[in-house]
Structures are given as C-alpha cells and as structure tokens.
Amino acid sequence: MKTFAVLISSHGEVEAPSFSAYRNQIRHIFHHASAYMHIPKPVLHVIPTVGGALMTLKYRRARYLSPHNHLTRQQAEKVKAHLSNIATSLPVTLEVIPTFETTPPYTEDQLQDAMQRYDGVIVLAMNPIDGDLSCGTLCRFAQQTFPPDMLSKLTVIGGLWRDEALSAVYCTYILSQIQELTLYGRVGLILIMHGTVVAQKNGAPVSFRNGLKETESFYERLASGLRAASPKLFSHITVAYLNHTVGGRWTTPTLEDAIATLKAHGIETAVAFASGYFTDSSETHHAAEVLSRAKFRAAYYLPCVNDTDDFTRYLAERIQKAARGLLHRQALLELPPKAVENRSHLRS
C-alpha cells in the first residue's frame, strides 16, 4: 500500500518570542515577496533586523503570544482523525503533517523531505485565495526544486475560494455564531479579507497574480449566501482588507474604512468575521481590537473557523478527493504507453 504525506501548510507566527525568531520570520516573508515585488537589497537586510528588534520590544510590552501555530496543529490533528474515518476505502495511508511558511518546521523543508520519503505528497495551503503571494509561492518553489518526473508525486489543493462547499461552511458558521449574540438595532457585517498589493508605488499595475479577483469573487459569494440564508438579519454587509505597508498601493476599503461605512449607515451592532483567514492570528486579533474601540452600541468579532467540526470535515473531504486524483494520475503514468493512448481514446 502506498503512503502519502499531507502537508497542512499555514503562514506561521512566532511561538517562542526572541529577536532571532522575529528576524528570521521577517526574512522568510521578504524572501517570498521579493520573488514578485521589487524590494531593494538594503531593505532585505535592514528590515528583518529592525523589525525583529521592534517585534521583540512589542512582545515584552504587550506579552502577546500568537495562537496561530498551536491552532494549526490542532486543525491537523482533527483532520488526521477525520481522515482515518472517511478514507478507509482508499488504497493509501495518509500521514498528516502541520508545516509553516515563515516559522519552523518550514513547509519548503518538509516538502523536500516528503518528496524523497513518500509515494506522494498532498499540500493544503491554509488560505482560501489562490495567488502568487500565497499558494503560488509554494508551486513556484516546487517547479524550481524538483525535476518534472518527480512532480507527478505532488498535488497542491487550490481553488478553495470558488468552492460552494466552503462557502456553505462559512455561512452556516457565521449564522450559528450570531445566534448566540445580543443584537441591537440595525446590524452590519464586515467580512475581513487579507489585503494584497494592487499597484506599484508609481501607480503601475502589479505584474503578478495578486489574488484580488479571487478575493472579490469569494466575498461576493459569501455575501450573497448570507443574504439568501437570512435576508432580514443584516442591514449592511461590507468587505474590509487587512493590509501591510510595503510593495506599493494596497487594497481598499480598510477595516477603518468599513467601520466608517457601517456608522454612516446607522449601524448599532457591528459583527466582523475574518473570512480571508482559516486560523486566528495576531492579524485577526488586532482587527478584533480595532473593532472593539469603534464605539458601536455592540461590537462582536467572530473567531476564525479554526478547528470547528464542519471545517475539519470539509478539509478532510478535499484531501480525500486530492488523494484519489493523485492515485489516478500515478496509475496512468504507470501504464504502458499504448494502454494510456487507448484510455485517452475511450474518454474522448
């Protein structure tokens, strides 16, 4: 029986705060971004050092520890347990491994190891949006690292943003969470997405796939689903982007813009959900703090789906589907050339 590695790849955040940990994380972030955006070499060297020092001071002052990596490992454990129940009919053993893009154990290192040790590798990037700065970075690494014949062992799960099943999980989760809240007057919902660079500093469009169209489509799908499921609940639904500051001009509206829009519409109860994130992190927690200071009559931040049962089931089913596809692809490659030709003729 074959054995496939399943890499649950999340962004990663520092767990044991130190100057070197923060510096190394920023180095990884800038290394990935520099493949698509022009970042001057002095910046690549200076920012990680300065940023590492600032993050260390910030931690010592706030004593904040990100739950991101811990939550990712919990997700991986629950997915592993669910796969053991639903994948019994597959002629393959699935070994689930949590990895991180910017903190140890690094996804790229684990991928290189898994490609040598396993019959196949399935990578699930814990990000609903496909783009060069998300799962595209991993695909680029694989294409540059492994010869073409080895790539038949690898599949990367993508397109989650257009999956109706994920949208259904999100809508059910949001509405179930809201049932537990005390609502006043007009209710507004902010669907928070991860921002992206939309133009260079000189105003020219970016030359890489930034994931904006996918994000906009995902937002519209969610907003439409929520309006259809509960047409009278929300007086206003808006998107908000959590942005960074390097690389050029980023997406709008920001969270602050979205809050101002809700206030302009007379919203008394504001609800925010980080739909662009699968796992809570320092970014989503900061968004929750911004919302809490916005002076609505009531303001609620809904946690990310994290390791909820419905989301775990969804991930496991996507992995099972990917495993079937990878087994089928490998079986075709193992057939004699004439047999493959005959099968292709029959399908046409």
Side-chain angles (χ1 to χ4, degrees), residues 40 55 73 80-81 112 130 143 224 252 284 326 331 336:
M55 291 300 295
R73 285 190 288 268
K80 177 181 178 181
Q112 290 192 78
D130 299 335
Q143 291 172 345
S224 296
T252 57
T284 65
L326 186 54

Side-chain angles (χ1 to χ4, degrees), residues 39 64 273 295 309:
I39 302 177
Y64 173 79
F273 173 66
K295 297 182 179 179
D309 291 340

